[in-house]
Amino acid sequence: MNEVAYRLGITARKVWMLISEGRIRTKRLDGRRLVPADALAEFIAGLPDGEDPKANAA
């Protein structure tokens, strides 16, 4: 999960929280929990754009 956390710029604890909430899909392999690249892409695609509506109101 450290690599996922690094790629998202969040903590590993936050990654586990998102997984437990069902927001990031995982797969199990030999007792390990993996995040497929397409699952990470889906999560990122579902995030809001991050634009501040107040910034465009000027």
Side-chain angles (χ1 to χ4, degrees), residues 4-52:
V4 174
Y6 176 78
R7 289 177 178 265
L8 293 175
I10 60 177
T11 64
R13 183 178 176 140
K14 179 68 175 181
V15 172
W16 282 111
M17 188 180 80
L18 292 168
I19 290 168
S20 70
E21 292 173 352
R23 295 182 61 195
I24 297 179
R25 188 171 41 85
T26 62
K27 299 275 185 174
R28 302 244 346 150
L29 176 66
D30 295 332
R32 295 177 60 199
R33 188 173 299 270
L34 307 173
V35 178
D38 63 327
L40 190 56
E42 288 170 12
F43 173 75
I44 293 169
L47 293 174
D49 288 336
E51 293 182 19
D52 186 1

